[in-house]
Amino acid sequence: MLAKRIIPCLDIDRGRVVKGINFVNLKDAGDPVEQAQIYDEEGADELVFLDITASSQNRNIVIQMVEKVAEQIFIPFTVGGGIRSLENIRQLLKAGADKVSLNTAAVLQPQLIQDSAKRFGSQCIVVAIDAKRVNLPTGSSNGKISWEVYIHGGRTATSKDVIQWARQVAELGAGEILLTSMDCDGTKNGYDIELTRTVSETVNIPVIASGGAGNLEHLSEVLIKGKANAVLAASIFHFREYTIQQAKEYLQKQGITVRL
Amino acid sequence: MITIIDYGMGNLRSVEKALQRVSCTTQITNNPEKVIAAEKLVLPGVGAFGEAKHNLDRLGLTPAILQAVQKKVPLLGICLGFQLLFAHSEENGNHSGLGIFPGSVRLFPQGLKVPHMGWNQVQIVRNNRLLENIPDNSFFYFAHSYYVELEPNDFVIGTTEYGLNFVSVVGKDNIWGMQFHPEKSQKWGLEILKNFSQV
């Protein structure tokens, strides 16, 4: 059986891991290679490195970090943040990343999804979608919920509908969708189940749920009810509230296939 | 020394680093002469089948690999490199492979999430020294949209379930191949690479 994946996310600033709550009070939390090794030993299925201060100067630091991680870690890892061109993607893959995650650039130039999937293969192109619920005046929505795509780290609304965009990125050749609920992110009240389920039922590519994990029940809820193929979580693992091993043992008890 | 064949399909660094981790010395090459003279060969790769085969042909690597195989040089195909060992592929048209094993590469049926992405189990159907010390039903990392159609054959040593049962490991004489990525499959993946380095 294909296992559901548990994916810790590490935020990277100038080549160091940082931890913060809602992007404030960022604290240096150490060396990415060491952190990655800890997660690898605990049984993480995959890792995501998110370059939160992506800039051209930072690019070389990140590439060096990717090279070091690739030497030590023998599980797949994804790198995201500020990727704008085929050349950026080529450099990261060449340095040893297994996948790249595109977000803003995918919205601004959807052709990049198609071109990169064609050139490097769909399996290494993840499209990250930041989704926010649309608040319609009471009575005007016919009971239907919708979500809007945001870019630039959640600062810019695009007026794109998340479900339509998800369908489009799958058609363009993305291999996976990393779906973050901006409403739930940082709340620790659980994932947006409805969003995750709707996207997962719409597209025939795997969906990674992100944003809102506060306890282990939240993980199983989004995997079962939300029909997610994988879960991404940051703070519950960073702050050692749970180890990956504990999370997997819990999920197995709920009848979910995990790699233990 | 293990020779990793570079034919322009994907990053070879992870394969190289994983082999080095299990104490192998490595070289990466696209030179047919070096392929023929190799002690052991790894054919990795990700991407499209047609383009991969075109590159192997263009670089003169197709006859070099077949010649090395004839000379009994151990060969390990990984992911796309595994699929290339078979006779043909339906990926974007109809392409012929290296034809070392009979069989066809096909798209997963409708209704499944594709790519088949993540950790899945390998059922060992036949003992083989490549899988020595590997427990039955161990998890390995897969990332592919096409699969090798199962034909009951004595070279099939491992199978995997994803909507259907497909061939995930083959081995015969000096040739082995696997659909998953041993270089990304943590300890059991490294164990397989170690076994290959010792054949």
Side-chain angles (χ1 to χ4, degrees):
Chain A
M1 279 268 279
L2 180 65
K4 300 283 187 181
R5 287 168 285 159
I6 309 287
I7 309 174
C9 177
L10 295 108
D11 289 334
I12 304 295
D13 179 15
R14 290 176 284 263
R16 300 285 290 175
V17 181
V18 289
K19 293 173 188 177
I21 294 165
N22 299 334
F23 288 87
V24 292
N25 303 321
L26 290 179
K27 281 188 194 145
D28 186 290
D31 177 52
V33 178
E34 282 169 24
Q35 296 287 315
Q37 262 171 330
I38 293 169
Y39 284 133
D40 174 27
E41 279 157 25
E42 281 186 359
D45 294 310
E46 219 171 303
L47 297 170
V48 170
F49 294 92
L50 189 60
D51 181 7
I52 60 168
T53 48
S55 64
S56 50
Q57 302 100 299
N58 207 19
R59 183 68 57 198
N60 287 335
I61 303 172
V62 168
I63 285 174
Q64 284 166 20
M65 179 205 83
V66 170
E67 286 175 352
K68 285 188 198 138
V69 171
E71 280 173 21
Q72 303 291 336
I73 304 297
F74 300 102
I75 57 172
F77 67 95
T78 304
V79 180
I83 298 167
R84 288 181 189 86
S85 65
L86 282 176
E87 181 54 20
N88 291 158
I89 298 170
R90 193 190 65 82
Q91 285 177 342
L92 290 164
L93 296 175
K94 189 164 172 279
D98 299 284
K99 307 176 193 178
V100 292
S101 165
L102 308 174
N103 190 338
T104 302
V107 173
L108 299 180
Q109 33 166 342
Q111 187 67 33
L112 184 61
I113 303 171
Q114 193 164 27
D115 292 346
S116 57
K118 207 168 166 210
R119 178 143 167 216
F120 307 108
S122 289
Q123 83 295 329
C124 66
I125 306 300
V126 181
V127 172
I129 303 178
D130 290 341
K132 198 171 162 68
R133 278 184 188 241
V134 177
N135 289 315
L136 294 171
T138 317
S140 68
S141 64
N142 300 325
K144 272 197 92 175
I145 308 169
S146 68
W147 295 267
E148 184 177 0
V149 178
Y150 276 68
I151 56 172
H152 297 126
R155 292 189 303 275
T156 312
T158 65
S159 74
K160 263 184 192 300
D161 176 70
V162 167
I163 308 305
Q164 279 173 22
W165 175 234
R167 195 175 286 131
Q168 193 185 343
V169 307
E171 278 164 10
L172 288 168
E176 271 180 301
I177 290 174
L178 168 52
L179 181 64
T180 303
S181 159
M182 292 172 58
D183 306 289
C184 298
D185 200 28
T187 65
K188 308 197 84 178
N189 290 329
Y191 294 88
D192 188 332
I193 303 300
E194 205 154 4
L195 167 69
T196 311
R197 192 187 58 237
T198 310
V199 172
S200 189
E201 286 175 346
T202 300
V203 296
N204 61 353
I205 58 176
V207 173
I208 306 164
S210 157
N215 59 43
L216 300 182
E217 217 179 332
H218 294 150
L219 304 183
S220 73
E221 193 184 17
V222 80
L223 290 170
I224 296 171
K225 290 189 198 154
K227 301 190 175 173
N229 303 92
V231 285
L232 188 94
S235 57
I236 67 166
F237 297 128
H238 286 328
F239 297 107
R240 316 307 299 165
E241 291 164 32
Y242 304 97
T243 64
I244 308 274
Q245 181 75 18
Q246 280 172 329
K248 286 189 164 185
E249 282 167 6
Y250 172 83
L251 294 175
Q252 193 177 49
K253 276 187 199 144
Q254 311 306 309
I256 296 169
T257 304
V258 288
R259 178 183 67 106
L260 268 170
Chain B
M1 164 94 82
I2 294 184
T3 300
I4 302 166
I5 303 170
D6 179 8
Y7 56 109
M9 298 306 284
N11 141 61
L12 310 176
R13 192 181 164 88
S14 323
V15 174
E16 188 185 29
K17 292 294 161 199
L19 286 166
Q20 288 171 356
R21 172 57 67 100
V22 294
S23 309
C24 297
T25 53
T26 53
Q27 67 169 350
I28 294 179
T29 188
N30 62 8
N31 179 341
E33 298 299 320
K34 286 188 178 171
V35 168
I36 295 167
E39 214 178 296
K40 284 196 174 94
L41 286 170
V42 173
L43 183 65
V46 292
F49 191 100
E51 192 187 348
K53 184 56 170 36
H54 174 76
N55 287 357
L56 287 176
D57 291 344
R58 183 175 54 83
L59 293 162
L61 290 166
T62 301
I65 294 167
L66 294 173
Q67 200 177 326
V69 164
Q70 284 268 307
K71 283 171 53 192
K72 302 286 174 208
V73 175
L75 167 68
L76 177 68
I78 297 173
C79 197
L80 180 59
F82 157 76
Q83 297 186 349
L84 285 163
L85 301 178
F86 292 84
H88 33 80
S89 169
E90 288 182 347
E91 183 173 351
N92 304 322
N94 228 322
H95 305 278
S96 59
L98 293 168
I100 294 172
F101 294 110
S104 293
V105 180
R106 298 184 187 281
L107 184 63
F108 276 111
Q110 295 255 319
L112 288 170
K113 294 246 175 183
V114 169
H116 171 226
M117 174 88 74
W119 297 79
N120 204 337
Q121 289 165 294
V122 171
Q123 286 84 48
I124 300 177
V125 296
R126 193 169 274 109
N127 286 332
N128 188 284
R129 55 185 164 161
L130 191 74
L131 302 182
E132 216 167 88
N133 304 323
I134 306 289
D136 196 16
N137 294 315
S138 294
F139 281 96
F140 294 91
Y141 184 77
F142 290 81
H144 60 120
S145 301
Y146 292 77
Y147 72 99
V148 173
E149 193 171 52
L150 183 70
E151 296 173 17
N153 263 302
D154 60 0
F155 59 79
V156 176
I157 60 180
T159 62
T160 295
E161 194 77 40
Y162 186 62
L164 44 82
N165 198 248
F166 67 91
V167 185
S168 50
V169 196
V170 294
K172 196 186 180 187
D173 303 328
N174 55 317
I175 309 153
W176 291 270
M178 51 199 52
Q179 180 62 71
F180 54 83
H181 288 274
E183 78 280 11
K184 286 289 159 184
S185 296
Q186 233 209 2
K187 78 171 174 178
W188 299 125
L190 294 177
E191 187 72 24
I192 287 182
L193 294 176
K194 195 173 114 206
N195 288 343
F196 176 69
S197 75
Q198 291 169 353
V199 296

